[in-house]
Amino acid sequence: MLVTGKELLQDAHKNNYAVGAFNVNNMEIVQAIIEAAEETNSPVILQASQGGLKYAGIEYIAELGKLAANKAKVPVVLHLDHGTDFDQVMLCIRHGFTSVMIDGSKHELKENINITKKIIEVAHAVGVSVEAELGKIGGTEDNITVDERDATFTDPEEAKLFVEETDVDSLAIAVGTAHGVYKGEPKIDFDRIRTIKGLLNMPLVLHGSSGVPADSIERAVAAGINKINIDTDLRIAFTQAIKDFNKKNPDNIDPRKLLGPAKEAMKEVIKEKMNLFGSAGRA
Ligand code: G3H
Ligand code: ZN
C-alpha cells in the first residue's frame, strides 16, 4: 500500500529502527526493492533522484512506483530524493509522490529555511511529507558534487532553529558520511546524531550510507537515525551481476537473461540492509 513518509518514519522514530530508502531508475530495480520488502516484511521507501527521473521519465517512475506500492503487501513510500527547486517538487506532487525532499543545503541557513518553508506550505496542504537537509554531505550524487573540504557537519542548535521555523517532517543531517564510493572508512560522529536527536525528537535521515560498515550503521540507528539512503551499493550489485553474466555467457542476446540475475543480486543486498536497519518484521 502507498503511504506517506511521515506515517512510516514516525513509527520508525517511536520504535528506534530505520527504514531503507533505495534509489530507483527502472522496473527491475523497483521489483527488486518491493520483493525484498515483502520477503522481509519490511516497510520501504522507493526514491527517485532528479537524475533518475530524467533518465526514465517522471511518468514511468511515478506509475511504476504507484503500481508497485498498491500491489505490495507492505507499506511503501514514493519519495523524491534531493529535489533542488520548487517546480521539480511540485511536478512530483502532481504525479502522486507521497514524500519529497527539498535539498537547500548548499544555501545559507536563512535561505534554506525560506526555500523549505515554501515547499512545506504546499506539500502539507495536500498531505505530502517533506524531508529537508542541513549541513553539507560530501561526495557525488548524480551531478551534484560536494568537495570533501566543503563538507560541513550539521550544527545541533541550527538544526533546532531550522525545525522550529519550518515544521519539516524529517531532517537529513551531515555527520561524516558521503555520497558514492568511499576512499577510506567513514568516520561517523555518533555523539552529534545523539545530540541532534535529543534536541529535535524527530525522524533523522542518513545519506551516503552505501559502504558504511554494518556496526557503524547499527550505532547510527541506535543514536537516532530513522531513514537510511542507499544507492551506490545497489548500483554495484546490479552492474557486477551483469558483468559476471556476460563473462560466462558472451553469446547471450536476451535482455531478460541478463537483467534477471542483476535484479536477484540487488534484492539480496536490499534484504541484508533491511535486516541490518531493523525494519524487517515491522510492516
Ligand atoms: O540520496 C541518496 C543517498 O544518499 C545515496 O548515497 O549512493 O552513497 O548510497 P549512496
Ligand atoms: Zn543523498
Side-chain angles (χ1 to χ4, degrees):
M1 78 219 69
L2 187 63
V3 300
T4 66
K6 186 171 183 171
E7 189 179 329
L8 218 73
L9 294 181
Q10 276 299 332
D11 189 71
H13 169 60
K14 272 187 217 124
N15 295 295
N16 306 104
Y17 66 94
V19 181
F22 303 99
N23 284 75
V24 299
N25 301 293
N26 67 16
M27 184 187 74
E28 282 77 8
I29 299 175
V30 171
Q31 290 173 333
I33 298 166
I34 296 295
E35 285 173 24
E38 287 186 329
E39 287 173 27
T40 58
N41 197 29
S42 173
V44 71
I45 299 170
L46 297 176
Q47 63 182 14
S49 67
Q50 292 178 171
L53 294 175
K54 201 168 161 202
Y55 167 77
I58 189 167
E59 292 86 356
Y60 278 90
I61 293 290
E63 296 311 315
L64 272 173
K66 285 184 285 185
L67 174 71
N70 289 326
K71 277 186 72 180
K73 295 178 196 76
V74 294
V76 180
V77 171
L78 182 57
H79 175 76
L80 167 67
D81 187 29
H82 290 287
T84 50
D85 65 90
F86 187 79
D87 290 358
Q88 176 70 71
V89 173
M90 292 305 119
L91 200 61
C92 288
I93 292 177
R94 194 150 67 81
H95 278 86
F97 281 56
T98 55
S99 175
V100 290
M101 176 183 188
I102 176 68
D103 180 357
S105 62
K106 68 171 191 230
H107 300 285
E108 291 304 312
L109 177 65
K110 190 81 201 119
E111 181 65 359
N112 191 355
I113 288 175
N114 288 341
I115 293 167
T116 306
K117 263 174 114 164
K118 198 173 158 197
I119 298 285
I120 287 177
E121 200 183 325
V122 183
H124 281 182
V126 292
V128 171
S129 322
V130 179
E131 171 185 337
E133 179 171 321
L134 190 64
K136 290 191 179 69
I137 295 161
T140 301
E141 169 90 12
D142 279 344
N143 51 2
I144 305 167
T145 298
V146 176
D147 194 87
E148 223 172 282
R149 283 165 304 181
D150 297 326
T152 36
F153 284 13
T154 306
D155 179 81
E157 288 301 331
E158 273 191 14
K160 190 165 186 277
L161 176 76
F162 186 92
V163 171
E164 281 167 1
E165 293 271 326
T166 59
D167 190 31
V168 74
D169 301 300
S170 62
L171 188 68
I173 53 174
V175 289
T177 55
H179 290 120
V181 178
Y182 286 98
K183 287 184 205 97
E185 197 173 298
K187 300 231 174 330
I188 298 177
D189 189 343
F190 300 104
D191 282 339
R192 189 174 297 262
I193 302 175
R194 269 187 289 274
T195 305
I196 297 173
K197 189 74 167 185
L199 281 171
L200 270 48
N201 190 28
M202 66 181 285
L204 299 178
V205 183
L206 191 68
H207 281 246
S209 311
S210 293
V212 177
D215 64 318
S216 294
I217 291 286
E218 274 168 354
R219 288 178 71 190
V221 174
I225 293 294
N226 305 110
K227 173 175 179 273
I228 300 185
N229 286 17
I230 299 281
D231 188 5
T232 302
D233 278 348
L234 304 194
R235 294 178 180 202
I236 292 170
F238 201 80
T239 49
Q240 191 56 51
I242 288 177
K243 284 180 197 166
D244 293 346
F245 184 86
N246 275 338
K247 209 171 174 188
K248 278 189 216 132
N249 306 278
D251 298 327
N252 173 63
I253 54 139
D254 187 343
R256 295 170 298 185
K257 291 196 174 137
L258 189 63
L259 296 178
K263 179 180 116 180
E264 288 306 313
M266 193 182 252
K267 185 162 92 176
E268 287 314 308
V269 172
I270 298 167
K271 280 164 71 174
E272 258 175 52
K273 303 280 183 198
M274 288 169 164
N275 284 310
L276 179 63
F277 301 168
S279 68
R282 292 281 182 176

